[in-house]
Amino acid sequence: MKQLSQIYFVMLLITTLSGCTTLGYYSQAVSGHLSLMMSTQSVSGLIDAPSTPPALKQKLLVANEARQFAAHRLALPVGDAFAEYAELGRPWVVVNLVAVPEFSLQAHRWCYPVVGCQAYRGYYELENARTEQTLFMADNYDTFIGGVTAYSTLGWFDDPLHTGFTSLPDNRMVALMFHELAHRVVYISDDTAFNESFATAVELEGLRLWLETEGDGSGFQRALARLRQRNQTLALVEDVSRQLEALYAQQGTLPKTELRHQKAQLFQALQDDYLALSATWEQPGPFGENPTGLNNANLALFSQYNQHVPAFRQLLRDHAGDFSDFYKAVETLADQSQDIRQRRLSDLGQRFHEDL
């Protein structure tokens, strides 16, 4: 009954929309999500079934433990999330398109019912994303399409496990579960950086505690190494972003050919610096092993997921690691105006770096 009511809710949402492009997009979104939901099987049933492959059964057992840990140790609103499993036949569930003007770092925003505006648009079929990408590229936008391992429906649906999760190493799977569950705690319309940075902070701190509980010292060291790589990459991104913003501010003064030339030089320098930095790493970094074609869209996407992570980690420290109190503080912060939120997050982030 609950699933049927959710289906009716989504279909009602669709019928309130107008325009061929809008209707086409939402139709694929609804059909894609409902196809996912209707193909699920009970996790507990799969664990008990003799026919379940041992590797999958082991993943599902770990996922069940992570659900309990998320509910009891991280105070996350698990509900019936991840109690079902779907076989996708691929390691991603949707692909996201990010589009940013040629001389800007402000991503194009798509606005939706309920969740508000976001700086990306998800597609269940890669070709549909590429079709819209072509339209933006014709207007000289920088674009990026990336596979999304999982997404959250913010509690409207009981999100299932699927092969996007189970194709990952155990610790990465657990971290992703924590990230998606965090979106159920608080979600602000029109503030992607706030939402994703908060969920990433919960993911990181949750994984740290999970690994300590599991006594997985090597896993904890790998997680710390990934965090250092993320922070080092973010420092590079922030530095080049400042230079790009100064360059883009000269639109109308410099000819476009010169703007493009200097922009290309800055991105080449970013790629060179990243490759020099990542040569010392034992595992691939955020931009992979050999990034090419980095552009405004890559920077916008990366910043959205990492911009305020230190601030949220500091806020958790301020509440002595008590996740329930931390979530209340985040909800209070979410109720503030965007200007106040930004100043508060900036102060928290500065304190975090000063305490390192």
Side-chain angles (χ1 to χ4, degrees):
M1 180 65 70
K2 182 177 181 182
Q3 188 179 60
L4 285 177
S5 67
Q6 291 166 335
I7 292 172
Y8 289 140
F9 168 78
V10 175
M11 295 310 296
L12 178 63
L13 213 58
I14 291 301
T15 60
T16 65
L17 302 171
S18 61
C20 295
T21 301
T22 300
L23 186 59
Y25 173 75
Y26 280 97
S27 295
Q28 69 86 32
V30 169
S31 62
H33 182 72
L34 293 185
S35 175
L36 171 65
M37 298 298 293
M38 300 301 288
S39 66
T40 61
Q41 302 177 68
S42 164
V43 167
S44 59
L46 286 168
I47 290 174
D48 293 338
S51 59
T52 302
L56 176 58
K57 184 176 295 188
Q58 184 272 333
K59 288 288 187 183
L60 298 180
L61 286 169
V62 172
N64 262 356
E65 293 176 7
R67 289 182 73 245
Q68 296 300 316
F69 186 88
H72 298 127
R73 181 63 182 85
L74 307 183
L76 286 167
V78 175
D80 290 327
F82 304 138
E84 301 282 318
Y85 173 78
E87 184 70 37
L88 300 179
R90 63 192 189 205
W92 49 267
V93 60
V94 295
V95 293
N96 273 354
L97 169 66
V98 181
V100 184
E102 183 180 14
F103 303 124
S104 172
L105 291 178
Q106 298 302 311
H108 175 83
R109 298 170 70 78
W110 290 269
C111 295
Y112 312 94
V114 182
V115 300
C117 299
Q118 296 176 327
Y120 49 81
R121 171 162 271 194
Y123 287 90
Y124 285 87
E125 298 295 336
L126 179 58
E127 286 308 311
N128 290 338
R130 286 176 172 165
T131 297
E132 184 157 6
Q133 180 188 37
T134 300
L135 299 177
F136 278 100
M137 292 176 67
D139 288 333
N140 291 324
Y141 274 66
D142 286 5
T143 62
F144 173 75
I145 292 177
V148 179
T149 311
Y151 62 82
S152 171
T153 57
L154 312 181
W156 287 105
F157 292 81
D158 296 326
D159 298 325
L161 283 172
H162 48 69
T163 45
F165 289 93
T166 57
S167 62
L168 297 170
D170 286 356
N171 293 339
R172 302 295 290 273
M173 176 182 73
V174 168
L176 183 59
M177 291 174 66
F178 296 161
H179 182 106
E180 299 306 332
L181 289 170
H183 285 309
R184 290 182 159 213
V185 175
V186 62
Y187 189 93
I188 305 178
S189 299
D190 306 338
D191 199 336
T192 301
F194 183 98
N195 299 327
E196 296 301 344
S197 295
F198 164 67
T200 300
V202 173
E203 165 195 333
L204 292 171
E205 293 299 323
L207 180 61
R208 178 179 63 82
L209 294 172
W210 166 268
L211 292 170
E212 288 178 357
T213 302
E214 294 292 300
D216 185 353
S218 61
F220 184 51
Q221 291 305 313
R222 287 193 299 273
L224 288 177
R226 286 195 300 273
L227 178 57
R228 286 193 296 271
Q229 292 171 196
R230 189 189 310 227
N231 290 338
Q232 290 172 327
T233 304
L234 182 58
L236 293 179
V237 167
E238 289 177 338
D239 181 58
V240 77
S241 293
R242 285 190 291 269
Q243 297 179 67
L244 286 167
E245 286 172 348
L247 174 64
Y248 297 158
Q250 299 180 65
Q251 290 185 73
T253 302
L254 292 177
K256 287 188 176 181
T257 53
E258 181 59 23
L259 285 171
R260 289 178 180 131
H261 174 68
Q262 293 191 35
K263 174 185 175 181
Q265 287 185 317
L266 287 172
F267 274 107
Q268 184 61 55
L270 172 62
Q271 180 176 321
D272 293 344
D273 290 344
Y274 175 83
L275 289 174
L277 188 64
S278 62
T280 64
W281 298 341
E282 295 182 357
Q283 49 192 334
F287 290 150
E289 295 183 353
N290 187 26
T292 57
L294 293 176
N295 60 31
N296 294 337
N298 298 102
L299 301 197
L301 182 64
F302 187 77
S303 296
Q304 288 163 18
Y305 277 75
N306 297 277
Q307 181 178 352
H308 303 308
V309 172
F312 285 112
R313 296 183 71 203
Q314 181 62 46
L315 189 58
L316 180 60
R317 287 181 182 179
D318 289 348
H319 289 83
D322 186 309
F323 280 86
S324 293
D325 288 347
F326 168 58
Y327 298 150
K328 292 176 184 176
V330 173
E331 289 170 350
T332 299
L333 186 59
D335 289 335
Q336 304 299 313
S337 68
Q338 187 170 23
D339 287 344
I340 293 175
R341 282 202 309 271
Q342 291 295 324
R343 288 198 297 270
R344 175 71 171 137
L345 290 169
S346 179
D347 291 343
L348 286 165
Q350 184 174 351
R351 285 177 49 212
F352 179 86
H353 291 300
E354 289 173 350
D355 292 341
L356 289 180

